[in-house]
Amino acid sequence: MKNNLGKILIVLILIFINLDAKEYIWSATINKKQAYVNEAVHLHYSCKFNSRDELHVIEFNPVGVYEDYDIYLLSESENIIDGKRVNDFEFVAFLKNSGHIEFNFDVLMKKTNQDSINNTVLGRDNADYEQFSKKLIKQKKLSIDVLANDIKLFGDFNFKVKKDKPNINAYEPYHFELIIEGVGNLDKLEKIDLKIPAAKVFASKAQKDYILTEDGYKGIWSQKFAIVSDKNFDFPNINYVFHEKKSNSIKSYEVKPFKVSVKELYRKEDLLDDVKEEKQIFKKEYLYYVLIFISGFLAGKIKISKNTKDNGNDNLTLKVESCKTLDELLVLLVVTDSVKYSDIINKIEYKKMSLSEAKKQIIK
């Protein structure tokens, strides 16, 4: 019995000495053993040194597009814990194919050699010396079973719509915005191509306000539209189907088609008394200014102030003074009297007049 205890003690001492002699130890984990196609998985690799080690440089970058998955860097850090150096690498992989998938990567460990240290201390620049000794290491193989999934969008999402009332005047922009918030593969959402034959559609770029997390991209995806028409139009159907993670079921969200009523500003019989005067008011270039403004607004280049709306009671001077940008002032002048202020409109459009100069010209 005493002999056995002695042997066990010797073995434990040898194991301890062997572990202590190692300069570093790598470990790797994956947060799931089973997942669906298009789902995100989290990979964590850690290198723990037996000292504060300052000689090693780690080259580990498996980020890229592979046959079965796409992998992205989530975080990379280096810390001193209990007097020992620890390097952590975290990645997120989005699965693309079903079946048994393996993550099998290499890491290059580069150690500054003694010759390099001597040259640095002595101030010599000798190209004959190798600066590093290199060692290629196989990382621990990680694997996962991937289940089939034909739905492109995977995760937990909430859908929201912001839209105007479906009653507008001719050439007045009808605003619509779709907002998708949640976590999953939000980066796979594509820009909506809205087709409305009876109208002109101005679409903003999709706004992507999200960050990468262990469960995929978390945040908000949104897109804005302004539809301009002189007659009634039908807003088309928008439909999303997604695989909801929390319920493990297929869900859908739909914006059902609806009609937008457009009120004509002028009727033919109203134009018969003074055709020349009406033609002078409705020149194409003035409508062009309005459309340019709408397009610029949707691109996120300008902001609209509520004070620029004409409610029939505000004084022009007060409205002019409330304009904070040339774009706001431009819209106000076009809506108020595009003929009277055509010279100022032209100078603003071609950036030949500052905001303060324009205000002085109008208010004088």
Side-chain angles (χ1 to χ4, degrees):
M1 184 68 177
K2 290 182 178 178
N3 290 337
N4 289 337
L5 290 174
K7 290 179 181 179
I8 293 172
L9 182 60
I10 291 171
V11 170
L12 289 174
I13 292 172
L14 290 173
I15 292 173
F16 177 79
I17 293 173
N18 184 55
L19 288 175
D20 190 57
K22 282 190 174 182
E23 293 180 294
Y24 52 81
I25 297 175
W26 277 94
S27 62
T29 58
I30 186 170
N31 69 334
K32 299 172 186 176
K33 291 299 180 182
Q34 189 178 79
Y36 284 92
V37 171
N38 296 322
E39 189 173 354
V41 295
H42 177 235
L43 311 176
H44 181 200
Y45 297 86
S46 184
C47 182
K48 297 181 180 179
F49 291 82
N50 68 351
S51 67
R52 296 179 66 91
D53 185 277
E54 296 178 352
L55 300 179
H56 282 88
V57 174
I58 301 174
E59 292 188 0
F60 183 44
N61 183 26
V63 170
V65 176
Y66 298 81
E67 181 180 355
D68 294 321
Y69 52 82
D70 295 339
I71 188 167
Y72 303 89
L73 176 66
L74 178 61
S75 69
E76 180 180 343
S77 65
E78 180 177 312
N79 299 287
I80 301 297
I81 300 176
D82 296 331
K84 298 180 180 181
R85 174 181 166 187
V86 179
N87 287 78
D88 288 292
F89 300 83
E90 296 184 71
F91 303 93
V92 175
F94 289 91
L95 306 168
K96 298 195 292 190
N97 294 313
S98 59
H100 185 74
I101 292 178
E102 295 181 342
F103 300 93
N104 193 11
F105 305 121
D106 296 331
V107 58
L108 181 64
M109 303 294 291
K110 298 171 66 177
K111 182 179 180 180
T112 304
N113 58 37
Q114 189 62 44
D115 290 333
S116 177
I117 295 173
N118 292 340
N119 287 338
T120 301
V121 172
L122 297 175
R124 297 186 307 206
D125 184 13
N126 194 329
D128 294 334
Y129 290 109
E130 286 288 339
Q131 299 299 309
F132 297 95
S133 59
K134 301 177 182 179
K135 186 176 182 180
L136 190 64
I137 299 174
K138 278 281 184 186
Q139 288 283 19
K140 176 184 175 182
K141 186 185 295 183
L142 301 175
S143 62
I144 188 169
D145 292 318
V146 184
L147 305 176
N149 171 36
D150 295 329
I151 308 301
K152 186 175 181 180
L153 194 59
F154 188 100
D156 296 321
F157 307 105
N158 292 314
F159 294 78
K160 183 179 179 180
V161 164
K162 292 182 180 180
K163 59 182 180 179
D164 291 341
K165 293 181 179 179
N167 298 287
I168 59 173
N169 293 323
Y171 300 110
E172 178 186 347
Y174 176 80
H175 296 97
F176 179 92
E177 181 180 9
L178 176 64
I179 303 168
I180 304 175
E181 182 175 7
V183 57
N185 58 345
L186 279 169
D187 62 315
K188 296 302 180 183
L189 286 167
E190 298 178 353
K191 180 178 179 180
I192 302 170
D193 186 16
L194 207 59
K195 301 290 187 182
I196 303 178
K200 179 66 176 177
V201 178
F202 296 92
S204 72
K205 291 182 179 179
Q207 299 299 306
K208 302 175 182 180
D209 185 16
Y210 46 68
I211 59 172
L212 187 61
T213 70
E214 293 183 14
D215 297 314
Y217 288 98
K218 182 178 182 180
I220 298 174
W221 182 100
S222 64
Q223 189 174 0
K224 295 179 180 179
F225 300 88
I227 301 98
V228 180
S229 181
D230 61 346
K231 52 187 161 184
N232 299 340
F233 61 87
D234 295 320
F235 193 95
N237 169 271
I238 298 176
N239 187 48
Y240 283 94
V241 177
F242 62 101
H243 189 141
E244 187 178 70
K245 179 182 176 181
K246 62 184 177 184
S247 65
N248 191 23
S249 60
I250 307 303
K251 301 281 187 176
S252 66
Y253 176 82
E254 181 182 18
V255 177
K256 294 184 178 180
F258 59 90
K259 292 185 178 293
V260 176
S261 299
V262 180
K263 180 182 178 181
E264 292 185 22
L265 291 180
Y266 297 91
R267 296 175 299 171
K268 290 182 180 180
E269 53 268 30
D270 295 332
L271 302 178
L272 292 178
D273 294 338
D274 196 347
V275 176
K276 291 183 180 180
E277 181 181 352
E278 296 298 339
K279 283 184 177 180
Q280 184 182 16
I281 292 176
F282 285 97
K283 288 186 178 181
K284 289 184 178 179
E285 58 263 31
Y286 304 133
L287 178 58
Y288 165 79
Y289 287 130
V290 176
L291 296 183
I292 285 296
F293 163 74
I294 297 169
S295 180
F297 166 68
L298 289 174
K301 296 179 180 178
I302 59 176
K303 296 181 179 179
I304 295 180
S305 170
K306 293 182 179 179
N307 292 327
T308 60
K309 294 184 178 181
D310 187 0
N311 58 18
N313 297 320
D314 295 336
N315 182 276
L316 177 60
T317 299
L318 293 176
K319 289 192 287 183
V320 169
E321 290 177 345
S322 70
C323 291
K324 294 182 175 59
T325 67
L326 280 171
D327 297 291
E328 291 182 13
L329 184 60
L330 176 63
V331 175
L332 177 62
L333 297 180
V334 171
V335 173
T336 303
D337 194 332
S338 56
V339 176
K340 179 179 178 181
Y341 298 109
S342 59
D343 183 55
I344 298 176
I345 289 172
N346 183 65
K347 288 181 179 179
I348 293 174
E349 184 69 21
Y350 289 96
K351 303 186 184 302
K352 295 181 179 180
M353 180 176 287
S354 67
L355 180 62
S356 59
E357 290 173 337
K359 287 183 176 181
K360 288 179 181 178
Q361 287 287 325
I362 299 165
I363 300 174
K364 65 179 182 179

